Amino acid sequence: MRTISFKNKPVIVATGTTSGPKEGLGEVGKYIDYVSKDDTFGEKTFEKAETKMLYTSIKQALEFSKIKEEDINAIISGDLLNQIIASTFSARNFNIGFLGVYNACASFTESLILGATFLDGGYFNNVICATSSHFSSAERQYRYPLELGCTRPPLSQWTVTGAGALVLSNKGNGPKIVGATIGKIIDYGVSDTNNMCAAMAPCAMDVIKTHFIETNTSPKDYDLIITGDLGAFGSRLLKDLLWEKGFDIQKQHVDCGELIYNIKEDEFQGGSGAGCSSLVFCSYFYNKLKLKKLNRILLVSTGALLSSVSSQQNETIPGIAHLVEVEC
Amino acid sequence: MKNSQNFINQNYLTYVHYNSPKTKEKRSLLRAFWVGGVICCIGQGFRYLLEFGLGLKGDELSGFVSMIMIFLGSLLTGLGVYDRIGKYAGGGSIVPITGFANSVVSPAMEFKTEGYIYGLAAKMFVIAGPIIVFGVASSVLVGLIYFVGYLIF
């Protein structure tokens, strides 16, 4: 069994979201709390910009929740930078316990699962879960300098410049986390670093399938099944893979990466990054859940666990996906 | 412990391969051809200008033309224009000497935030390094072949 069902059902009492200008232009942009006019957020480096973005999101979530800083037990957060510096550096501004997580782009659901478990066990009363990513800081770490004149292959994705934070509490009103399924690391031997969606699709398939089987539900029981950053091609792979296993999620499935941009320039497959699922979930979907337009959803963040070193040493790309079930 | 080779699921990889969106080859080739051609024409234009205008000859002439093109490539990189050209043209703007200038200047700009010594200077040749290493190595090899050929024939 990899599925947890929470008895006390932790409540998402508030969210805070921050993004760069490009993300503000899309469909999701209207729901984001703070859209910056420039992607440096007034800082000198992109790493500092990401830190500020995450800090702003956490601060906003904290303000909206009307819970005092000293009543928060822990911040659980992660990002894509080496040694998750955006998370740790933004958390040093708070007088709150800190847990750093890393599961690449699946960090958001991982932090949600951990936070919900702490609350459900009765150890903590309030927890903040957050993740962030920044296009320019990710680009310089994983790929090429920004000004290098090279083309992007059609399978590439665009790392989302954005951060999302939410406050989980054991009391209050709002959407509740009712269950979760922990994913396992799956590697089908994809080695193309531009094709991360193909590396992540099998993990999403596995975790969704496991959740259906272990909770004895079917796709029809959910209003939406939201994946993190599979992109257009990855979504197609996921639907095919699940269809092969006997689950048809054609009607329920949406992908945060596909949703976030008006694909015009060269985002190609859509958004990706640790901030993708947290930004879209904390803004757009949280809003819909609060208005009760959605009742029962699955959030599946997917992550490709590669580093620039592993891919240069000819390793294949393992993937991970965690699932969280949210009800309003 | 298993290594990477043990995980390969060939059915899946084949399926991914046949279904993944492909690069539009004809369009890319056409763009690379005309942009690359225009860059070379500009270079040739400067060559004529220097040859017939200033009366330069031989090594002096080609050196001067290279310097101008490298300067232009670096300037356009600094202004944030060259990456747009590169995005459009692909190989067409990488192969000429302006592309080489771009590959040196762009990491220098990017890593300036880590300081002038460990950032800018150290990371400057991250992309151009291999080109220099293999360029020098292959020129030595070709020189040796030429030398040996000269001795024999």
Side-chain angles (χ1 to χ4, degrees), chain A residues 189-267:
Chain A
V190 176
S191 54
D192 181 3
T193 51
N194 286 313
N195 195 356
M196 292 192 286
C197 42
M200 298 187 291
C203 327
M205 178 274 286
D206 177 75
V207 79
I208 296 172
K209 187 193 80 182
T210 311
H211 189 78
F212 286 152
I213 293 169
E214 291 185 357
T215 57
N216 205 7
T217 50
S218 70
K220 282 185 199 117
D221 298 325
Y222 301 97
D223 292 333
L224 279 181
I225 296 166
I226 306 159
T227 50
D229 54 356
L230 287 175
F233 180 55
S235 302
R236 193 184 146 192
L237 290 177
L238 172 68
K239 284 175 208 164
D240 282 4
L241 285 169
L242 268 172
W243 182 79
E244 193 191 37
K245 305 280 174 199
F247 299 101
D248 184 8
I249 60 159
Q250 194 76 32
K251 279 184 192 142
Q252 287 85 10
H253 178 262
V254 281
D255 185 70
C256 295
E258 241 183 315
L259 208 65
I260 190 161
Y261 294 118
N262 300 323
I263 297 178
K264 273 183 203 150
E265 204 186 342
D266 44 15
E267 298 90 359

Side-chain angles (χ1 to χ4, degrees), chain A:
Chain A
M1 282 287 275
R2 284 189 274 143
T3 303
I4 311 166
S5 113
F6 297 115
K7 292 189 188 78
N8 298 323
K9 296 181 181 145
V11 185
I12 306 171
V13 287
T15 61
T17 45
T18 317
S19 83
K22 199 184 177 89
E23 287 68 22
L25 298 174
E27 195 62 25
V28 181
K30 285 175 262 176
Y31 299 88
I32 297 169
D33 296 326
Y34 177 71
V35 179
S36 174
K37 284 200 184 80
D38 76 318
D39 65 348
T40 58
F41 290 80
E43 296 288 334
K44 275 188 185 140
T45 71
F46 291 120
E47 284 76 11
K48 282 182 183 149
E50 188 175 341
T51 308
K52 193 174 179 184
M53 204 161 65
L54 188 56
Y55 169 77
T56 317
S57 299
I58 294 174
K59 194 90 186 157
Q60 258 161 354
L62 204 59
E63 270 170 31
F64 291 145
S65 72
K66 299 190 181 88
I67 296 171
K68 279 183 215 143
E69 195 179 316
E70 54 265 31
D71 293 333
I72 304 280
N73 299 97
I75 296 173
I76 304 173
S77 85
D79 59 86
L80 295 180
L81 298 179
N82 288 340
Q83 288 80 40
I84 55 167
I85 51 170
S87 299
T88 49
F89 283 47
S90 57
R92 74 177 171 187
N93 297 297
F94 298 99
N95 197 15
I96 306 173
F98 173 77
L99 287 170
V101 289
Y102 182 80
N103 256 191
C105 315
S107 303
F108 183 58
T109 39
E110 188 193 6
S111 71
L112 274 180
I113 293 171
L114 289 173
T117 313
F118 279 125
L119 292 179
D120 194 53
Y123 300 107
F124 288 163
N125 296 323
N126 305 296
V127 170
I128 290 175
C129 301
T131 53
S132 72
S133 60
H134 193 297
F135 171 75
S136 305
S137 65
E139 202 70 7
R140 71 192 302 219
Q141 184 179 311
Y142 291 101
R143 296 183 194 96
Y144 299 111
L146 293 174
E147 296 298 333
L148 185 72
C150 55
T151 48
R152 297 177 144 273
L155 273 169
S156 63
Q157 287 169 291
W158 191 273
T159 308
V160 167
T161 303
L166 55 82
V167 181
L168 278 180
S169 176
N170 55 6
K171 52 179 183 283
N173 293 317
K176 296 176 183 70
I177 296 181
V178 294
T181 303
I182 294 165
K184 57 180 175 186
I185 292 178
I186 291 179
D187 191 345
Y188 272 15
V190 176
S191 54
D192 181 3
T193 51
N194 286 313
N195 195 356
M196 292 192 286
C197 42
M200 298 187 291
C203 327
M205 178 274 286
D206 177 75
V207 79
I208 296 172
K209 187 193 80 182
T210 311
H211 189 78
F212 286 152
I213 293 169
E214 291 185 357
T215 57
N216 205 7
T217 50
S218 70
K220 282 185 199 117
D221 298 325
Y222 301 97
D223 292 333
L224 279 181
I225 296 166
I226 306 159
T227 50
D229 54 356
L230 287 175
F233 180 55
S235 302
R236 193 184 146 192
L237 290 177
L238 172 68
K239 284 175 208 164
D240 282 4
L241 285 169
L242 268 172
W243 182 79
E244 193 191 37
K245 305 280 174 199
F247 299 101
D248 184 8
I249 60 159
Q250 194 76 32
K251 279 184 192 142
Q252 287 85 10
H253 178 262
V254 281
D255 185 70
C256 295
E258 241 183 315
L259 208 65
I260 190 161
Y261 294 118
N262 300 323
I263 297 178
K264 273 183 203 150
E265 204 186 342
D266 44 15
E267 298 90 359
F268 290 112
Q269 301 297 323
S272 72
C276 184
S277 57
S278 67
L279 183 67
V280 178
F281 178 79
C282 292
S283 56
Y284 184 78
F285 289 116
Y286 181 72
N287 203 289
K288 298 284 171 210
L289 280 165
K290 243 178 132 184
L291 296 171
K292 304 212 184 254
K293 292 210 169 134
L294 295 171
N295 292 313
R296 196 181 186 197
I297 61 164
L298 294 180
L299 176 68
V300 189
S301 293
T302 49
L305 303 168
L306 79 165
S307 79
S308 45
V309 177
S310 76
S311 54
Q312 278 170 1
Q313 293 181 353
N314 295 329
E315 283 280 356
T316 51
I317 307 169
I320 183 96
H322 297 300
L323 181 148
V324 170
E325 189 182 332
V326 186
E327 266 177 27
C328 78

Side-chain angles (χ1 to χ4, degrees), chain B residues 144-153:
Chain B
L144 275 175
I145 293 167
Y146 187 77
F147 178 69
V148 171
Y150 184 76
L151 284 184
I152 295 168
F153 306 109

